[in-house]
Amino acid sequence: MDTEALVERATALLELGRPVEAEAEARRALAGDPSSAAAQVALSHALTGQRRWAEAVDAARGAVAADPERADAFVALAWALVGDDRADEAVEASRSAVGLEPHDWTTHHILGWALLRVSPPRAEEARDAATRALELSPGATSAHSVLGLALAATGRRRAGRRVLREGLRIDPHDPYLHNNLAKIDLDRGLRVGRTARHLRAAASGIPQEEVVHRNLDTLVLRFGVRLAWPTLVALTVVRLQLATGAPWWARAVTGLVHLAVVGLLVGWFARQAPRGMRFWARGVLGRLSLPLRLVGAVLLAFGACVVAAAFAPPGAADAMARTSGLALRLALVVGVAALVAHLVQGRRSR
């Protein structure tokens, strides 16, 4: 089989989401013609699909060296550089691709994505690049993703969501559109149910994507924080019962109602969330930063103390109620400190 046919096979395998097999075909093509830029481009994309970023960068640089006039070589290089956390270099490679093929939507698309990945993100430039990509190819849902995220990054979240929903009308099953809608919702702290549904669709299409995992972690944490509200209501009722000398069974009823409400909420969340969420949820605390991990641990202690106060004898119940109040205040203090630190760090990076 000649080099051109092997490259076509590799490209077809990439479109089918089979990067390992695509790599094998691309290497076969290179074995027959080591100077083939097309084979090196296919190899770079196959390696990018396996998250072997450094190797993908080397393959793409080989393609650029073999044929500096190939825009798709610079596109492959930019994607590999973005994956390798070298977004500034990716922007330069993308601009080279745009210069060679200004009427190819893919060159503007990767430019927009690279501009979003620099620190700080150059959202307005990314918006312009994605807008141009959509002018050239209105049905390109990946360009909808870049434009939606760019609009959200400039503070126009509603417009960003609208663009992403337009993309879903073109392809209702695009996992990246679902993931990016969930990301915008998480940034705004919107409804857990809607966010979970988008992440369920994203996880079914791209289960190995790290960004989906991070969004799932954030979703679980947000849901855990929301569980503090019924727990706070239960604590208030238990304190009133202790202050008025209510019988033990009254506090026990409060505790049972609280556990039932929490159980119903957890069950509802489990139905909304992707299958396998429990496996992610088990390791959430270990994957979070230290301040957020502390907030999560303190909130768990808060809930445990409230339940103990509901069922313990009066003396112990009063101590548990006071302890739960201290735990809640500590969680608030740590949470506010973590938020302030995050905002300060964000301003310094601008």
Side-chain angles (χ1 to χ4, degrees), residues 186 192-193 216-230 261-270:
L186 286 170
V192 169
L216 286 169
D217 286 348
T218 304
L219 179 65
V220 172
L221 182 64
R222 290 277 175 85
F223 177 71
V225 171
R226 291 196 175 188
L227 287 181
W229 289 107
V261 169
V262 170
L264 289 172
L265 289 173
V266 170
W268 167 82
F269 180 74

Side-chain angles (χ1 to χ4, degrees), residues 22-33:
E23 178 190 355
E25 295 301 315
R27 291 195 184 279
R28 285 180 62 195
L30 284 171
D33 182 4

Side-chain angles (χ1 to χ4, degrees), residues 3-268:
T3 299
E4 184 177 351
L6 288 168
V7 171
E8 289 179 358
R9 280 177 58 85
T11 302
L13 288 166
L14 284 169
E15 291 175 355
L16 292 172
R18 296 157 65 179
V20 175
E21 296 168 69
E23 178 190 355
E25 295 301 315
R27 291 195 184 279
R28 285 180 62 195
L30 284 171
D33 182 4
S35 63
S36 171
Q40 289 168 316
V41 168
L43 177 60
S44 178
H45 284 304
L47 294 167
T48 295
Q50 299 173 64
R51 296 173 177 77
R52 292 158 59 184
W53 311 120
E55 296 175 73
V57 169
D58 291 340
R61 290 199 188 282
V64 169
D67 188 352
E69 299 302 313
R70 286 187 69 104
D72 62 346
F74 285 99
V75 169
L77 177 59
W79 280 116
L81 288 168
V82 166
D84 204 31
D85 292 327
R86 297 156 66 181
D88 290 317
E89 296 176 60
V91 170
E92 297 306 314
S94 301
R95 292 198 187 282
S96 297
V98 170
L100 290 168
E101 290 287 352
H103 300 298
D104 184 345
W105 76 271
T106 62
T107 63
H108 296 277
H109 170 231
I110 180 55
L111 174 60
W113 183 241
L115 288 165
L116 282 179
R117 293 297 299 272
V118 297
S119 182
R122 292 154 63 178
E124 293 185 358
E125 295 177 66
R127 177 202 60 201
D128 294 341
T131 299
R132 180 56 180 157
L134 285 174
E135 289 173 353
L136 293 168
S137 180
T141 56
S142 53
H144 281 82
S145 274
V146 175
L147 180 56
L149 290 175
L151 288 169
T154 59
R156 299 171 60 190
R157 290 190 177 92
R158 287 186 179 179
R161 292 194 89 259
R162 186 164 57 250
V163 168
L164 294 173
R165 289 198 302 270
E166 289 172 0
L168 283 177
R169 280 194 285 271
I170 297 171
D171 182 1
H173 305 294
D174 187 314
Y176 293 98
L177 289 171
H178 283 289
N179 179 72
N180 294 330
L181 276 166
K183 176 65 168 62
I184 292 175
D185 284 349
L186 286 170
D187 288 342
R188 295 188 65 183
L190 291 179
R191 296 180 303 182
V192 169
R194 183 173 70 187
T195 305
R197 287 192 293 274
H198 284 306
L199 283 179
R200 183 172 59 205
S204 65
I206 44 175
Q208 303 305 319
E209 279 288 343
E210 293 182 4
V211 65
V212 177
H213 296 182
R214 290 195 296 271
N215 287 337
L216 286 169
D217 286 348
T218 304
L219 179 65
V220 172
L221 182 64
R222 290 277 175 85
F223 177 71
V225 171
R226 291 196 175 188
L227 287 181
W229 289 107
T231 307
L232 180 60
V233 172
L235 174 62
T236 302
V237 174
V238 167
R239 279 184 165 176
L240 286 173
Q241 290 171 331
L242 287 170
T244 57
W248 174 86
W249 62 263
R251 283 189 289 111
V253 169
T254 301
L256 290 172
V257 170
H258 169 250
L259 290 175
V261 169
V262 170
L264 289 172
L265 289 173
V266 170
W268 167 82

